[in-house]
Amino acid sequence: MNSLSLHQFSTSTVLLLMFAFYGGTYLLTLGIRKKKEDADAFMVSNHRVGFGIGAASMTATWIWAASFYAAATSGYTYGVSGPIHYGLWGALMILFIYPFGRRFRKLAPNAHTLGELIHARHGSSSQLILAFSNVLGSIISLMVNFTAAGALVSVLSPLSFQAGVIIAGIGVLLYTLWSGFRASVLTDFAQLVALMAIAVVIIPAVFFAMGGPSELVAGLDNLTAEQADFFSVDAILNQGAPFFVAVLAYAIGNQTISQRLFAVNEEHIKPTFITATVGYGAIVIGLGMIGLMALTLGIQPLDGDMNNLIPQMVSGYLPPVFIALFFVLVIGSLSSTADSDLSALSAIMMADVYGKNIARGKADPKRMLLVGRLTMIIATAVGIVFASFSLDILVMLVFVGALWGAIVFPVIASCFWNRVTNAAFTTSVLIAMATFCIARFELLPMSGLTALAFEGLASIGGGIIIALMVFGFLGRAAGLIAGVLAMLAMLVFATDFLRDYTVLLASLTAYGTSTLVCVVMSLMSSQRFDFDTIAQRVGDYDGAPSASGAGSDSEKPGGNRLASASR
């Protein structure tokens, strides 16, 4: 088997590269700084982000450090179908919020977070569940990106892992702290332009340096039958299907996406999300091809660590100038996601926690800005500390993924069905999390009637995923038919089979349980909700009167309208 060593830069070279990147990014944000920043601009750029900036920001945010390493790992592990399974389903996570996003914007055109909409629909408990999942997810994302920075610096220079983490954390905070989301979307555009320019050079350069198409075809003999099969069952069940299940969970649960949904000009939502979908898929699938190429050549990852695969391939086949470009490429990708996480966290604490639960609709915009900036500082410190420990964050990621899966149906149903209650929302999510934990960690033996029960719930989950996806684009009737057919197919094929694929079983169980509980409890209630009241309760903060009350299910239209909601 072939083995490649990693090229190392001097300490001064790496420091120069990082300081040049973060210094240049900081200088870029100076042009948009205001003496008196307002809260709405800090959170969503006053809902006026254009198509080009919006699509670039969405793409750059979604291409994070894990996209590089996981895409290559997927190609190396699962062969020819691996890059498709990672890149395609990741791209669909962006696309599938679009049809539901139109509904979110129609109900609450001046919202800053999805949590604000849920607060107006149900009240605090449901909103805080959504906010908690987003806070936990964004903190973990920060940790992952800072960890990736530390790992990259440590393998390509004499600097320590901790040094890389600290420089990346401070660098991202430096250019995001003052202007918040506005700085994030502006730098995302610049970072994506650089990322695409470098990727267009790096990926083909590695590909042809390794021998090009002829070497790739010749190396296919090194693949196993499963790796050579484009429709590999192993790849579908262990990667494709779990990623497919996660599509709606990440689309609905991730505040970095919904923040951009509320920031983009409403008429530009469709082209923005479609363009970001195509851009993300093309870049990430291309990165995955590097892993596939390494597999065909029989190259072993250095020290057995799959995260070394792409740095190993780049440094083994390309000259130092290309390695430096690769270094900037990875730093830019992880920074664009980290600054989005900081912006998302600040918006959640400003709007969901302070605005709706502490100030109770009487928020002071200046205090909101203070809350947002303190959140960024604290989140950066937490991310640096935990990343420096090199902790295993897999368990936390599992819980966040499950929580996002558990909230998908209650969130979407709450925005279309007037019978969903706060109790149905909260109870369904909590029970779904409990059943997920039982399945994922096998707290009960997955055999006999227990396994059949969980496979039944998972079949409902599979049906509801298909139903929601079809419903989003083709309407209620088509969604219902597709969902029923998918559920019946799942009952046939999943019974006595799905129990062997724990991750997939647990994820589908979360969907199925939350749907079943939410529907049953909502049908038992006599309450009906007037969706027109949501726009009255959610609006801008700067220069606007305070909103009416918290907004429980039993409330009727009334109270003061926000000036921004009535314009």
Side-chain angles (χ1 to χ4, degrees):
M1 294 294 181
N2 295 322
S3 180
L4 297 173
S5 60
L6 289 170
H7 175 88
Q8 277 212 332
F9 292 112
S10 66
T11 299
S12 59
T13 300
V14 168
L15 288 176
L16 181 62
L17 287 172
M18 295 191 76
F19 290 156
F21 175 82
Y22 287 118
T25 309
Y26 173 75
L27 292 175
L28 185 64
T29 63
L30 290 180
I32 62 169
R33 289 183 64 167
K34 299 179 181 178
K35 289 184 178 181
K36 293 183 179 180
E37 192 73 57
D38 61 86
D40 297 307
F42 192 87
M43 288 189 281
V44 288
S45 292
N46 301 109
H47 315 283
R48 292 199 296 265
V49 173
F51 161 62
I53 294 288
S57 179
M58 182 71 73
T59 306
T61 295
W62 212 233
I63 299 177
W64 61 324
S67 299
F68 284 77
Y69 301 116
T73 298
S74 183
Y76 189 86
T77 304
Y78 297 108
V80 294
S81 66
I84 302 296
H85 282 306
Y86 190 91
L88 178 61
W89 305 131
L92 288 181
M93 292 177 191
I94 303 173
L95 180 64
F96 273 97
I97 195 177
Y98 155 65
F100 303 111
R102 290 183 304 174
R103 176 66 174 174
F104 299 158
R105 282 294 292 267
K106 181 180 179 180
L107 292 176
N110 294 313
H112 308 83
T113 69
L114 186 56
E116 284 185 306
L117 191 160
I118 295 300
H119 184 276
R121 175 68 173 86
H122 289 306
S124 294
S125 61
S126 297
Q127 177 214 21
L128 291 176
I129 285 177
L130 186 61
F132 172 76
S133 70
N134 276 290
V135 168
L136 191 57
S138 291
I139 289 292
I140 291 174
S141 179
L142 276 177
M143 292 165 55
V144 170
N145 284 289
F146 292 163
T147 298
L152 184 69
V153 168
S154 66
V155 299
L156 292 182
S157 79
L159 286 170
S160 68
F161 173 87
Q162 286 77 13
V165 169
I166 293 171
I167 294 172
I170 294 176
V172 171
L173 178 64
L174 181 70
Y175 70 80
T176 313
L177 183 62
W178 185 262
S179 300
F181 181 78
R182 294 170 59 245
S184 176
V185 293
L186 176 65
T187 56
D188 281 345
F189 181 82
Q191 288 162 355
L192 181 67
V193 170
L195 187 150
M196 293 182 68
I198 296 172
V200 166
V201 174
I202 291 287
I203 295 174
V206 172
F207 185 68
F208 285 103
M210 296 170 69
S214 59
E215 193 69 24
L216 176 64
V217 173
L220 292 177
D221 293 335
N222 294 330
L223 275 59
T224 65
E226 282 288 331
Q227 290 172 334
D229 184 4
F230 189 79
F231 299 100
S232 166
V233 174
D234 180 52
I236 291 173
L237 291 176
N238 287 297
Q239 172 129 2
F243 267 52
F244 182 78
V245 169
V247 164
L248 280 176
Y250 276 81
I252 299 300
N254 195 314
Q255 168 63 15
T256 61
I257 290 183
S258 56
Q259 189 172 20
R260 281 153 181 77
L261 166 69
F262 289 117
V264 172
N265 281 334
E266 196 164 357
E267 64 269 22
H268 295 152
I269 291 177
K270 182 177 180 179
T272 295
F273 279 79
I274 292 176
T275 303
T277 297
V278 175
Y280 172 89
I283 293 174
V284 173
I285 290 173
L287 291 168
M289 294 302 293
I290 295 180
L292 174 61
M293 196 71 175
L295 176 66
T296 62
L297 294 180
I299 293 172
Q300 294 290 342
L302 191 66
D303 299 326
D305 186 353
M306 295 297 293
N307 287 338
N308 287 332
L309 193 59
I310 284 190
Q312 188 178 348
M313 298 292 288
V314 171
S315 63
Y317 285 98
L318 298 180
V321 64
F322 283 92
I323 303 172
L325 289 175
F326 166 76
F327 183 89
V328 173
L329 181 68
V330 178
I331 293 297
S333 69
L334 66 88
S335 298
S336 66
T337 304
D339 64 43
S340 298
D341 287 320
L342 290 180
S343 298
L345 283 166
S346 64
I348 291 169
M349 297 303 293
M350 291 168 71
D352 293 349
V353 177
Y354 170 73
K356 296 300 182 183
N357 289 283
I358 297 177
R360 295 188 178 277
K362 297 180 180 179
D364 177 0
K366 292 182 179 179
R367 188 166 295 175
M368 290 187 79
L369 285 170
L370 178 61
V371 169
R373 290 180 178 130
L374 286 176
T375 298
M376 287 186 172
I377 295 171
I378 294 171
T380 301
V382 171
I384 288 174
V385 169
F386 283 99
S388 298
F389 291 153
S390 299
L391 298 175
D392 182 359
I393 60 173
L394 179 59
V395 174
M396 296 177 68
L397 284 170
V398 165
F399 276 108
V400 172
L403 187 55
W404 283 350
I407 66 175
V408 168
F409 181 83
V411 167
I412 293 177
S414 294
C415 295
F416 288 90
W417 190 22
N418 65 358
R419 296 188 65 161
V420 180
T421 65
N422 182 46
F425 187 110
T426 305
T427 305
S428 63
V429 172
L430 295 178
I431 294 178
M433 280 296 296
T435 56
F436 168 85
C437 292
I438 292 172
R440 179 63 182 85
F441 303 108
E442 299 186 69
L443 302 180
L444 294 176
M446 285 297 137
S447 59
L449 292 177
T450 301
L452 285 174
F454 276 88
E455 286 171 340
L457 289 171
S459 297
I460 296 174
I464 200 62
I465 290 172
I466 298 300
L468 290 173
M469 288 180 172
V470 175
F471 163 68
F473 287 97
L474 300 179
R476 184 178 303 173
L480 181 61
I481 293 171
V484 170
L485 292 176
M487 184 181 67
L488 293 176
M490 285 285 295
L491 286 171
V492 172
F493 294 105
T495 302
D496 200 29
F497 171 77
L498 198 58
R499 66 192 67 179
D500 296 327
Y501 296 89
T502 306
V503 174
L504 183 57
L505 174 67
S507 299
L508 289 172
T509 296
Y511 275 93
T513 304
S514 64
T515 299
L516 189 61
V517 174
C518 186
V519 169
V520 170
M521 290 187 66
S522 297
L523 289 174
M524 292 172 62
S525 171
S526 60
Q527 291 184 17
R528 299 293 185 273
F529 183 80
D530 181 2
F531 286 110
D532 291 337
T533 62
I534 291 179
Q536 301 171 23
R537 299 168 179 167
V538 181
D540 293 333
Y541 291 94
D542 288 281
S546 61
S548 57
S552 64
D553 284 308
S554 60
E555 285 185 299
K556 298 299 179 183
N560 296 324
R561 286 177 177 267
L562 289 175
S564 58
S566 60
R567 280 197 294 267

